[in-house]
Amino acid sequence: MLLAGNVTGSVSDIALTYYNPAKLSDIEINGFAFNARAYQLNSLKIDPLIADGNPISRTTFTGVPSLVGGTFSLFDERFAYVYLSKLRINNNLSTSYEELNESILQQFPLAESLALRDALSNDIKEDWYGLSWATQINEDLSLGISAFGVYYKYRGVRSANKTFQYEPDRVTTDLLQYNFEQQSYGLNLKVGASYTIDNVEIGLNATLPYLQVFGSGKYGINLVSAGTIGGNDRYYDYNFRDLTSKRKLPFGVSAGAGIKLNKSRIHLNVDYMNALGEYERLEIPEVDLGTDLPSDIKFNEKRSAVVNIGVGGELFIKENFKVFFGISTDFDSLDEGDGFFDLSTENADEFSAGTDYYHLSGGVDWTLKWANLILGLTYSRGTNGIGINSEIGREEPFIEAPTSTDLVSQRLQLVLGLEIPFLDRGMKSLQETLNNN
């Protein structure tokens, strides 16, 4: 984390299970690693969804244990185990508008008050459970593989409410709310290679396409119009369970190098993710919302090919103390679309889909007799222009709903890491016992 992920060719801790399993053959000491716990401050800001409305903003502070694992030797082979909380997103945002402006009063002269509410939330969780193995082909070349069991869950809710009060005993209201949930269980495989030339370490790490083993989904939509002029009240409530669900992730490959400069090092990295054609993540039946034709609700996803680059530095201060820094790009392969803001979802992932991030990091690694301590900070910032097909204002010309809005996402993380080689002696004893038998 302190090198901003620029470690494909030079990773030297338990994170190798993810970045390059071939580097496992370079670790001589067995042990347990808590690498690392990140206390993060997240800030998300979205420009108003309604003209003259209030911007949406939310700030949260959470603690996320990102990676826990260890290494061991068995039958003269190198292994590692790991738990990675790869993704945690939880956003609850809302905006409102209550002003009876001149345009509204021209069309609704008897209106006494107005309340518009637009709210959205999403909750994404992704956990990886992995086992890695590596073997040394010769003094310079190593190969490795990591196999991860993956659990993914994505839930979201969007609601839009419009209420007019004309007199104490007359109120009209329109409500649209929809929600969804997708779960996926599957496998991810990573195949790595590591090669050393003089003072340069070169690494290659290929991530195979995600293989879904089981998936399920839910979708619900509720539409209410009450107190309308002419008695055109409507009520529709649909809840679908056990929907066919798919999740796909394309092939990706990373290449990196660690270049030694005396006792310091420079780390270089480039990542490529392949494109992915549009597919249907949830198969949702057509619904009747009182229109001439049934509403065809789409929950699709597609990805473009992207390339990300980064550079990091490792400064030698003394034998047991090093300083790290890094910068990298994190361009999202998800195509920009109406996303979470549109009933007919063109892009099904979190509403920050298409957001391009930049990461900065820095910190220290302090080696003690009994453990390695890691302390640092990372900062990430991403911006995105999002297209909107807002339910509020769609049929009301007096409320100007923008066709796009800007999203700004920022994250500051305090990183704490701990590596303890207390398992080394026990694993050596176990291996000697097995070999003797």
Side-chain angles (χ1 to χ4, degrees):
M1 298 179 76
L2 301 184
L3 288 167
N6 302 307
V7 292
T8 302
S10 51
V11 60
S12 59
D13 56 26
I14 191 60
L16 59 83
T17 56
Y18 181 84
Y19 289 106
N20 190 347
K23 299 296 291 183
L24 177 60
S25 62
D26 294 340
I27 296 182
E28 299 179 357
I29 299 178
N30 297 313
F32 173 81
F34 187 79
N35 179 326
R37 185 175 182 87
Y39 295 89
Q40 59 185 19
L41 180 68
N42 291 289
S43 172
L44 182 67
K45 181 180 179 181
I46 304 175
D47 285 349
L49 302 182
I50 307 167
D52 299 326
N54 298 320
I56 300 174
S57 62
R58 182 172 185 261
T59 301
T60 59
F61 181 80
T62 57
V64 181
S66 58
L67 193 151
V68 177
T71 61
F72 63 95
S73 298
L74 192 61
F75 303 116
D76 295 325
E77 298 289 341
R78 298 293 293 155
F79 295 90
Y81 56 93
V82 67
Y83 162 70
L84 170 65
S85 54
K86 189 172 186 294
L87 186 61
R88 292 290 189 275
I89 295 177
N90 190 303
N91 290 306
N92 296 280
L93 306 170
S94 64
T95 187
S96 62
Y97 185 83
E98 298 178 350
E99 180 181 353
L100 281 171
N101 59 42
E102 183 177 348
S103 298
I104 296 175
L105 291 174
Q106 285 179 356
Q107 295 197 30
F108 300 90
L110 299 179
E112 296 183 358
S113 62
L114 162 69
L116 302 180
R117 300 283 189 272
D118 209 348
L120 56 140
S121 66
N122 69 343
D123 185 2
I124 305 176
K125 176 182 179 180
E126 184 174 358
D127 292 329
W128 290 30
Y129 305 85
L131 182 66
S132 301
W133 166 81
T135 187
Q136 193 170 29
I137 305 301
N138 54 47
E139 292 183 356
D140 300 321
L141 177 64
S142 297
L143 301 177
I145 185 170
S146 290
F148 293 93
V150 179
Y151 171 69
Y152 174 86
K153 186 175 183 178
Y154 175 31
R155 297 184 298 177
V157 179
R158 167 74 192 280
S159 66
N161 181 272
K162 176 185 65 182
T163 302
F164 276 99
Q165 181 176 352
Y166 294 97
E167 51 191 54
D169 59 351
R170 184 183 172 197
V171 175
T172 65
T173 184
D174 292 281
L175 170 67
L176 172 65
Q177 178 174 294
Y178 61 94
N179 62 84
F180 57 85
E181 178 180 302
Q182 181 184 18
Q183 293 191 69
S184 177
Y185 298 83
L187 298 173
N188 256 122
L189 295 178
K190 290 178 174 287
V191 180
S194 175
Y195 189 73
T196 302
I197 305 176
D198 296 329
N199 292 327
V200 180
E201 296 176 279
I202 300 173
L204 190 69
N205 189 38
T207 302
L208 303 185
Y210 175 72
L211 176 62
Q212 178 170 284
V213 177
F214 172 78
S216 65
K218 302 176 183 179
Y219 191 90
I221 182 169
N222 178 254
L223 175 63
V224 178
S225 294
T228 57
I229 298 175
N232 297 319
D233 293 354
R234 294 184 296 168
Y235 174 74
Y236 298 95
D237 189 22
Y238 295 93
N239 287 282
F240 302 105
R241 300 289 184 268
D242 300 322
L243 298 176
T244 299
S245 168
K246 298 177 183 177
R247 184 177 187 236
K248 297 182 179 180
L249 293 174
F251 172 83
V253 63
S254 300
I259 306 170
K260 292 183 179 181
L261 301 174
N262 295 323
K263 293 185 177 182
S264 299
R265 284 199 296 181
I266 295 177
H267 305 263
L268 305 175
N269 217 76
V270 58
D271 303 312
Y272 169 79
M273 178 174 284
N274 200 17
L276 185 65
E278 185 171 1
Y279 72 99
E280 194 170 17
R281 284 181 59 160
L282 287 181
E283 295 184 11
I284 304 170
E286 292 182 341
V287 297
D288 181 5
L289 297 178
T291 59
D292 294 335
L293 297 174
S295 297
D296 184 17
I297 302 174
K298 296 185 181 298
F299 200 91
N300 295 350
E301 177 181 287
K302 60 181 177 181
R303 294 176 180 265
S304 300
V306 295
V307 175
N308 286 296
I309 59 174
V311 60
E314 177 182 337
L315 303 179
F316 175 85
I317 305 300
K318 57 182 182 178
E319 291 296 336
N320 67 333
F321 194 84
K322 297 179 182 179
V323 175
F324 295 87
F325 64 89
I327 181 172
S328 64
T329 64
D330 188 4
F331 300 147
D332 198 342
S333 66
L334 284 166
D335 282 1
E336 296 183 24
D338 288 345
F340 202 92
F341 296 103
D342 188 1
L343 174 63
S344 301
T345 307
E346 299 295 337
N347 202 318
D349 220 319
E350 63 267 24
F351 53 74
S352 60
T355 302
D356 294 333
Y357 285 88
Y358 294 88
H359 303 291
L360 297 171
S361 63
V364 300
D365 185 343
W366 186 14
T367 302
L368 304 175
K369 292 182 178 180
W370 58 276
N372 278 15
L373 299 179
I374 299 171
L375 177 64
L377 289 174
T378 69
Y379 172 75
S380 303
R381 177 183 172 88
T383 59
N384 184 22
I386 303 174
I388 300 175
N389 190 359
S390 178
E391 297 300 321
I392 292 180
R394 177 175 290 176
E395 299 176 355
E396 286 69 41
F398 54 83
I399 302 174
E400 181 185 353
T403 57
S404 65
T405 190
D406 291 327
L407 176 149
V408 178
S409 177
Q410 299 183 83
R411 181 181 66 200
L412 181 65
Q413 289 186 333
L414 171 64
V415 180
L416 300 175
L418 180 64
E419 295 183 357
I420 307 174
F422 69 87
L423 294 180
D424 190 40
R425 183 179 300 176
M427 290 305 303
K428 287 182 178 179
S429 177
L430 175 60
Q431 182 175 347
E432 291 176 358
T433 302
L434 293 173
N435 290 337
N436 292 334
N437 291 336

